Amino acid sequence: NDALRRYGEEQWDVMFFVQGVAEMILRDVRAGLPKRTMRFLIDGDNHRGPNNVAVVIPPGVAHAIRAEGSEDVIMVYGTSTSFRPEAEGRIASDVETATLPESWRKFLGSDQ
């Protein structure tokens, strides 16, 4: 029963980007530590250079990832616990749910 576990306080995540360029935001929200934010770009392995890194994210560090540019991002993602999407603490983004501006809806017609 995931409701009885402190899933967000025990799971470590590891990510490695194979393709594309990703923007990552990390926000440290661990109790007793100062709130800090990091925002950086990670090059996938197909863009060889100093920005090819693996990222290890401890419990209590919120994270967001998005593709930077038009190239698809492919990543290898591992967790220290059994991954259960329903147990993930997810904050939905306005980008995901935003409607088109009125001017675009008019331009595209009533089918939008």
Side-chain angles (χ1 to χ4, degrees):
N1 182 352
D2 289 321
L4 300 176
R5 294 177 64 189
R6 297 161 80 170
Y7 187 81
E9 296 177 20
E10 65 184 50
Q11 178 179 298
W12 288 73
D13 296 322
V14 175
M15 298 171 194
F16 180 78
F17 295 86
V18 177
Q19 174 185 299
V21 178
E23 176 184 23
M24 179 172 275
I25 299 173
L26 301 175
R27 176 74 173 164
D28 195 340
V29 293
R30 293 175 287 183
L33 295 173
K35 305 289 185 251
R36 294 183 299 176
T37 302
M38 290 180 68
R39 184 176 183 178
F40 51 95
L41 297 176
I42 303 169
D43 290 340
D45 197 47
N46 65 323
H47 299 282
R48 291 295 179 122
N51 291 331
N52 299 124
V53 297
V55 180
V56 178
I57 303 171
V61 176
H63 49 282
I65 305 164
R66 70 176 182 170
E68 176 66 26
S70 59
E71 183 179 19
D72 288 340
V73 169
I74 299 173
M75 71 177 198
V76 177
Y77 175 61
T79 66
S80 63
T81 61
S82 296
F83 179 72
R84 298 180 147 213
E86 67 276 7
E88 291 287 308
R90 189 168 189 289
I91 301 172
S93 169
D94 292 342
V95 171
E96 296 173 356
T97 58
T99 59
L100 290 172
E102 180 63 29
S103 59
W104 272 94
R105 288 197 306 266
K106 285 180 183 177
F107 173 73
L108 295 171
S110 61
D111 60 333
Q112 300 297 317

